[in-house]
Amino acid sequence: MTPSGGFPVAAREAVADSQLRANLRGATHAIRDKRAAAVAEVADWQELREAGRLIKERAMRHLDRHLEALEAAVVAAGGQVHWAGDAAAANRIVGDLVAATGSTEVVKVKSLATDEIGLNEALAARGIDALETDLAELINQLAGDTSSHILVPAIHRNRAEIRELFLRELPDPGELDETPGALAEAARRYLRERFLRAEVAVSGANFGVAETGTVGVVESEGNGRMCTTLPRTLITVMGIEKVLPRLTDLEVMLQLLPRSATAERMNPYTSLWTGVTPGDGPQEFHLVLLDAGRTNALRDEVGRQALHCIRCSACLNVCPVYERTGGHAYGSVYPGPIGAILTPQLADLDQGATLPWASSLCGACYEVCPVKIDIPTVLVHLRGKVIRREAGGGGAEDAAERLSMKAAAAAFATPRRYRLAQRVVLPVLRLLTGVPGLARIVPGPLAAWTSVRELPEPPRETFSDWWRGRS
Amino acid sequence: MSDREAILARVRAAIADVPAAEAPEFDPDRAEPDARYARTGELDPAARLALFVERSGDYRAEVTVCAEDPAAVAAAVAAACSRHAARRLVVPAGLDPAWLPPGVEPVADDPPLAPAGLGACDGVLSGCELAIAVTGTVVLAGGGPAQGRRAVTLLPDLHICVVRGPQIVETVPEAVARLAAPIAARGAITLISGPSATSDIELKRVEGVHGPRRLELIVTDPSL
Ligand code: SF4
């Protein structure tokens, strides 16, 4: 999945693509400003964030009991629960479940977990056609692209490109102009027929409530309602970290997520179902609980907070590195700041080892995160882990130099910007312990750059000047 | 070892640092001050209703306020139908027949209509379980009176939903508290905030994708 060369190479290519950069910049800034307004309206936002953090922390710190409770509640409500240790197991389980229905096509709701495990490809290998029904996912699927943003995955395409794509790929696009309304209408017509005939749907889950067995999907377009309502069989693939202990936890998450994600007071549709309801909706419900590396992340007392993520994508939209590189450069379905701490941990540092350097440690991600994940601290912590590991044979400084120069040069245009950013991260140094000399080198790109190459000039402008000057 | 046992064993090993005595859940009633968010609202019923009308209108639902009286509701339904040239409306079980104006043909979902049949109706007229003022949200509980099964309020292109004033709560926590009972009865819950929408193409908001493209809310005000 990681492009050859990892983040550095992919980032350099993306930074060079000016159309992509323009789209990303426009999009991330628009969402960012709207989010700030939606959040400013909530007087108790900081208390909600703290409650959200505590809810997720408790959920992870007692994950075994919550998973067992969730399983028991789903089964009691007429659903079935499957456990998948890795991607291959999850794909096999879902494939077998679909095959058992005799169906050769499924409709899908956007799901990062199923992207992560490569479910569509695995189903295709068994002759099962998985149709993405989220508009942006449909666009990407028709174009043979991968997602560039968690929440608006086709942010890298403009309307003219989408129109051309629809004219080429949809069976009966009719007269199609390039207004977003006409393009959405074409997708509606195409998908409606597929929703009505589908016998199996596959979804992800935004949360599963252990107390009641209730599973939820938060969305805008109605494709989630279609998929979780019309087909006879519903298969939901849920990462084990999505469990919420209590129903009351929803009262916090349903406030934090929509405002952080789409800057709405509430997203248009949220579907919550509990097992099987006789006579209403799918009569067979399967919940597939996916580990696939989550327990690796859970082992790390600092890093485990990456599992608290509710996938709102607010941290992407404020990230200066993401704004320049886009999502593809991260070589993972989880891009941006959260991807930089989640991807390497899911892979036990065997993949994405340069990702912890894909950051200037400016801290904007932490400020916006609705569940207060301290991404900068985790980034620094992971840099230390990677360096300790790489240093196995050679010196830690060599390892830091190698990794950081690769990753760093790519994301920002000039080393000067790094030096400016560096001032902000110095306090983070205090967090570092363990390897001799590490405290000096761990801020990675920044320190390695300066300590090996040159001493930083006293910055002419402060970081915040620079930050403001950018927008 | 099964995947189940293996995952649970990995989880237990991973969280071995967690003290056994630690409470496994966050309890909002015992939260520290920095996590004490507002759980109950402060508005009186009239202000609550006004806030709901304003907020649901923000999402481009069409909102009509009328007296808490079946004849007034029926008149509002008639007006909504004429705005959208709708005549045949699906009507879930438990809906007050007095809400139906003359000239509207009710279609009962009994026996259950096939999806194509539902889609062929001009619209659906439903009640709701409750509504949330702060977010402008209508909450449906599958199987609840006048709410029907999920497909009934999903497939028709027009959804006319009657919200009675006393059904409006102010905050999200107050709404979630009232969902415990329908969830215990395994009812599917749907939160609806405006018509379906997408911003997937150049972040331009387009109203109406897969759900009903038009949402008409009729809010009854007991003070009128
Ligand atoms: S890390 Fe926080 S801000 Fe980023 S996507 Fe996850 S929840 Fe949102």
Side-chain angles (χ1 to χ4, degrees):
Chain A
M1 233 197 305
T2 307
S4 59
F7 182 82
V9 172
R12 207 173 298 129
E13 286 166 5
V15 167
D17 180 342
S18 57
Q19 171 72 55
L20 171 67
R21 284 182 68 184
N23 287 3
L24 273 171
R25 186 183 161 81
T28 55
H29 281 255
I31 305 175
R32 182 194 291 190
D33 297 345
K34 281 171 63 188
R35 188 209 71 94
V39 163
E41 187 179 282
V42 182
D44 55 349
W45 185 252
Q46 293 308 331
E47 287 78 11
L48 283 166
R49 283 180 80 210
E50 178 62 12
R53 185 186 76 77
L54 288 166
I55 286 167
K56 296 298 291 194
E57 185 184 84
R58 292 298 165 89
M60 292 306 103
R61 286 168 70 87
H62 304 273
L63 186 57
D64 54 334
R65 80 152 80 187
H66 298 310
L67 289 173
E68 287 179 306
L70 176 65
E71 176 186 50
V74 169
V75 169
Q80 297 173 50
V81 176
H82 312 262
W83 301 68
D86 57 22
N91 289 333
R92 193 172 55 243
I93 290 166
V94 177
D96 289 349
L97 290 171
V98 178
T101 68
S103 191
T104 56
E105 61 177 42
V106 303
V107 286
K108 274 191 70 201
V109 203
K110 176 165 86 177
S111 147
L112 288 165
T114 61
D115 288 350
E116 174 194 328
I117 62 176
L119 178 66
N120 292 7
E121 296 73 20
L123 291 178
R126 298 179 65 160
I128 299 163
D129 181 24
L131 178 70
E132 294 291 350
T133 63
D134 183 78
L135 180 52
E137 294 287 343
L138 174 69
I139 291 167
N140 285 338
Q141 192 177 46
L142 292 173
D145 272 358
T146 51
S147 167
S148 54
H149 189 282
I150 295 181
L151 210 74
V152 273
I155 204 168
H156 56 294
R157 294 204 169 259
N158 63 33
R159 59 179 78 184
E161 292 175 293
I162 294 166
R163 173 173 178 267
E164 266 170 44
L165 183 69
F166 279 11
L167 286 174
R168 198 169 65 235
E169 300 288 339
L170 295 187
D172 183 21
E175 292 286 306
L176 197 56
D177 65 41
E178 58 178 50
T179 58
L183 296 169
E185 164 75 26
R188 173 185 168 100
R189 275 203 314 273
Y190 170 62
L191 287 174
R192 166 128 324 200
E193 183 222 341
R194 304 290 296 263
F195 285 132
L196 293 188
R197 77 171 193 231
E199 284 168 29
V200 186
V202 175
S203 83
N206 288 99
F207 32 70
V209 180
E211 183 184 18
T212 58
T214 305
V215 178
V217 165
V218 170
E219 51 129 0
S220 295
E221 294 176 11
N223 57 318
R225 286 178 77 188
M226 290 282 183
C227 287
T228 60
T229 300
L230 296 180
R232 220 197 85 80
T233 301
L234 172 60
I235 304 167
T236 298
V237 180
M238 180 181 117
I240 53 175
E241 81 283 16
K242 296 283 169 202
V243 71
L244 293 177
R246 300 173 49 169
L247 191 62
T248 50
D249 298 338
L250 284 184
E251 72 190 30
V252 175
M253 296 303 162
L254 288 178
Q255 294 190 76
L256 291 173
L257 180 54
R259 290 184 197 259
S260 300
T262 49
E264 291 167 301
R265 296 185 181 114
M266 193 65 94
N267 50 290
Y269 295 144
T270 295
S271 298
L272 307 171
W273 66 95
T274 306
V276 168
T277 312
D280 181 4
Q283 295 302 292
E284 218 180 277
F285 171 55
H286 299 274
L287 180 63
V288 181
L289 296 174
L290 174 72
D291 178 353
R294 282 140 179 91
T295 47
N296 288 335
L298 192 65
R299 280 206 313 266
D300 187 316
E301 290 179 32
V302 177
R304 70 168 58 126
Q305 58 184 303
L307 299 173
H308 299 182
C309 174
I310 58 173
R311 311 279 187 260
C312 73
S313 77
C315 59
L316 279 64
N317 297 325
V318 296
C319 178
V321 174
Y322 176 81
E323 182 185 320
R324 285 175 173 73
T325 63
H328 291 139
Y330 293 79
S332 158
V333 295
Y334 305 108
I338 181 58
I341 60 170
L342 188 59
T343 304
Q345 294 200 85
L346 291 180
D348 216 4
L349 304 185
D350 286 336
Q351 261 185 23
T354 51
L355 286 176
W357 278 269
S359 166
S360 66
L361 301 181
C362 72
C365 48
Y366 171 66
E367 294 297 315
V368 297
C369 179
V371 289
K372 288 172 84 168
I373 299 173
D374 190 351
I375 295 176
T377 295
V378 179
L379 283 166
V380 171
H381 172 76
L382 292 178
R383 287 177 186 186
K385 269 179 107 166
V386 171
I387 287 172
R388 270 191 288 273
R389 209 167 81 151
E390 291 263 328
E397 296 214 20
D398 288 350
E401 165 74 0
R402 216 165 43 243
L403 285 157
S404 63
M405 287 305 289
K406 270 202 306 188
F412 279 113
T414 68
R416 184 171 144 271
R417 287 189 165 149
Y418 273 109
R419 290 201 298 271
L420 295 174
Q422 182 184 17
R423 298 177 64 218
V424 181
V425 309
L426 289 175
V428 183
L429 285 170
R430 272 182 252 118
L431 296 164
L432 301 169
T433 51
V435 172
L438 195 58
R440 191 160 61 84
I441 61 174
V442 151
L446 316 171
W449 207 306
T450 54
S451 70
V452 179
R453 291 232 166 6
E454 54 180 333
L455 287 170
E457 301 153 13
R460 298 261 152 77
E461 50 179 348
T462 64
F463 180 79
S464 45
D465 291 339
W466 167 74
W467 178 266
R468 259 182 263 117
R470 289 171 38 252
S471 37
Chain B
M1 190 155 53
S2 71
D3 270 24
R4 180 183 189 279
E5 296 315 315
I7 292 171
L8 287 172
R10 285 200 293 272
V11 169
R12 288 183 186 120
I15 57 177
D17 61 297
V18 177
E22 182 178 281
E25 298 156 343
F26 170 73
D27 181 350
D29 293 324
R30 296 166 167 210
E32 299 292 322
D34 63 344
R36 220 173 281 152
Y37 56 92
R39 303 193 77 208
T40 49
E42 290 163 350
L43 300 176
D44 63 38
R48 202 156 59 218
L49 188 144
L51 184 63
F52 174 73
V53 168
E54 176 201 310
R55 295 277 161 100
S56 55
D58 277 356
Y59 287 127
R60 279 165 258 183
E62 292 245 17
V63 190
T64 308
V65 180
C66 70
E68 175 115 13
D69 154 42
V73 172
V77 171
C81 284
S82 78
R83 272 196 288 279
H84 302 288
R87 200 180 55 81
R88 292 179 71 237
L89 298 185
V90 191
V91 172
L95 186 115
D96 184 347
W99 286 354
L100 285 163
V104 162
E105 180 190 328
V107 182
D109 185 41
D110 179 27
L113 296 160
L118 283 171
C121 289
D122 298 328
V124 54
L125 173 63
S126 80
C128 69
E129 186 72 15
L130 60 111
I132 310 170
V134 164
T135 57
T137 302
V138 169
V139 183
L140 303 178
Q147 296 161 77
R149 59 199 178 96
R150 280 170 278 177
V152 165
T153 41
L154 175 61
L155 289 171
D157 206 12
L158 166 67
H159 182 188
I160 306 173
C161 183
V162 179
V163 178
R164 290 183 302 102
Q167 290 182 304
I168 301 171
V169 299
E170 183 176 331
T171 67
V172 173
E174 289 167 310
V176 171
R178 288 169 62 170
L179 294 181
I183 283 177
R186 276 204 237 167
I189 307 295
T190 308
L191 280 71
I192 300 174
S193 307
S196 63
T198 182
S199 300
D200 276 351
I201 300 171
E202 295 183 4
L203 293 180
K204 296 279 176 303
R205 187 173 168 99
V206 175
E207 311 282 337
V209 192
H210 300 298
R213 282 183 286 190
R214 285 143 317 156
L215 178 64
E216 289 263 358
L217 297 177
I218 296 171
V219 183
T220 69
D221 183 347
S223 72
L224 290 183

